[in-house]
Amino acid sequence: REWINHQENGLLVNPQDIQALSKYMIELLNNPVKKALLGLHGREMVKQHVNHETEMQRAELLYQDLIEKISIV
């Protein structure tokens, strides 16, 4: 599932594109309203789509699986 929608709740940048990253960082520094709106929309998306109890259970299962794998070695 995609978490970030470009220009809606975040900014997507190719990790190798330093110029684009710099451009967006400067844009956000110069536009605090846009920065706040992206953050607000991101938080709202998490509130609507993330069940913290389910995520914690998934993380616990992952850790248990890793512990079992380490114990076998």
Side-chain angles (χ1 to χ4, degrees), residues 5-65:
N5 295 314
H6 186 65
Q7 297 285 357
E8 184 180 320
N9 64 356
L11 300 169
L12 296 173
V13 180
N14 181 325
Q16 306 303 320
D17 192 346
I18 296 169
Q19 289 181 335
L21 178 60
S22 299
K23 173 188 154 206
Y24 286 129
M25 290 175 69
I26 291 169
E27 180 180 333
L28 293 176
L29 287 170
N30 291 327
N31 190 341
V33 172
K34 182 175 184 170
K35 179 176 67 171
L37 284 173
L38 288 173
L40 177 67
H41 292 155
R43 284 187 292 282
E44 288 301 317
M45 187 276 307
V46 169
K47 284 182 185 178
Q48 291 176 4
H49 298 290
V50 175
N51 179 316
H52 295 288
E53 185 67 31
T54 301
E55 296 301 322
M56 291 302 295
Q57 289 173 352
R58 289 178 62 203
E60 184 178 350
L61 289 173
L62 174 64
Y63 285 126
Q64 287 175 349
D65 185 48

